[in-house]
Amino acid sequence: MATEMFLLVLLAMASSLAMASDPSQLQDFCVADKDSKVRVNGFVCKDPMVVKADDFSLSGLDMPGDTGNKFGFNVTPANVMQIPGLNTLGISMVRIDYIPKGLNPPHTHPRATEILTVIEGQLLVGFVTSNTDNRLFTKMLKKGDVFVFPQGLIHFQFNPGYTNTFAIGALSSQNPGTITIADAVFGANPPISDEILAKAFQVDKKLVDWLQAQFAKKN
């Protein structure tokens, strides 16, 4: 009986680990067929006989992204939506550009750990651990430095300098997803009740209403 229980526990652990990651490949590649009407976790495979080298390629990461926004940063993704050949391979990357004082605001990647390398410039980076510790880990990075943001934890990057910065990030998912905290909380559609947010943040509802107006989705 003890042996059977041990095997059941091992099976449960293996199953939970399998469900917590991207689908594993069962052949050399499974190039995403984004035109297929079939709905699966990820994308169905394109006929390998029509797969081309371009399905595994992307150009343009040498070019800075458009940082002309209120935060002064831009993310250029290279995930399964841009490179269909990444389907089932569990990896992607991004180029991130920052003007002086540019900020990639606090956000999470629900499906991926991120490892970031500064190519030019400098960055103040950090992440916060989960409740109830909520410990902040932060570090100033210079050219050539690397930093890891664990999966699902809130993190940020800020360029405190007076020159442009750019970095390359690798992520452990073909489609890591991004949840920007302020957008999700104050820009939800439909809006989260101001009564709920006022109590959650222990502030007046008028302040919540003002914040929601700043993040309201533009139609």
Side-chain angles (χ1 to χ4, degrees):
M1 184 66 180
T3 301
E4 293 176 354
M5 182 61 69
F6 178 69
L7 290 174
L8 285 173
V9 171
L10 284 180
L11 179 61
M13 291 174 64
S15 299
S16 64
L17 288 173
M19 290 186 293
S21 63
D22 280 2
S24 297
Q25 63 190 89
L26 297 175
Q27 57 265 339
D28 288 344
F29 55 78
C30 173
V31 173
D33 183 355
K34 289 182 282 189
D35 295 325
S36 174
K37 303 300 182 184
V38 178
R39 300 298 180 191
V40 297
N41 184 24
F43 295 96
V44 299
C45 303
K46 185 185 289 187
D47 181 347
M49 298 306 295
V50 300
V51 169
K52 300 178 180 178
D54 286 347
D55 291 317
F56 302 92
S57 177
L58 175 69
S59 299
L61 284 190
D62 60 319
M63 301 298 295
D66 181 7
T67 53
N69 55 65
K70 61 185 178 182
F71 294 113
F73 89 109
N74 181 273
V75 176
T76 304
N79 58 45
V80 71
M81 301 307 295
Q82 292 79 36
I83 309 175
L86 286 175
N87 193 39
T88 75
L89 299 185
I91 193 169
S92 60
M93 65 184 297
V94 293
R95 171 182 173 137
I96 315 177
D97 292 279
Y98 317 78
I99 64 172
K101 312 306 177 185
L103 170 68
N104 188 356
H107 62 283
T108 73
H109 300 297
R111 297 182 290 275
T113 290
E114 179 179 3
I115 182 168
L116 185 85
T117 305
V118 177
I119 307 299
E120 292 290 345
Q122 59 184 340
L123 285 175
L124 175 64
V125 302
F127 67 84
V128 180
T129 61
S130 54
N131 296 350
T132 56
D133 190 20
N134 297 134
R135 184 178 175 190
L136 172 64
F137 290 84
T138 186
K139 187 174 179 65
M140 181 68 73
L141 305 182
K142 62 183 185 302
K143 180 178 178 179
D145 289 345
V146 176
F147 198 80
V148 174
F149 305 106
Q151 180 173 341
L153 296 187
I154 295 172
H155 59 282
F156 60 85
Q157 301 116 28
F158 174 67
N159 176 11
Y162 297 95
T163 59
N164 292 338
T165 290
F166 90 89
I168 295 291
L171 299 110
S172 61
S173 171
Q174 67 183 42
N175 186 20
T178 300
I179 301 172
T180 304
I181 306 307
D183 285 342
V185 173
F186 297 108
N189 187 19
I192 300 173
S193 164
D194 58 0
E195 182 177 4
I196 291 172
L197 293 180
K199 187 162 187 176
F201 287 95
Q202 295 293 288
V203 297
D204 188 85
K205 284 202 292 184
K206 290 183 179 179
L207 177 56
V208 171
D209 294 338
W210 181 84
L211 286 168
Q212 287 180 320
Q214 310 311 303
F215 288 90
K217 297 292 189 295
K218 301 295 188 296
N219 295 321

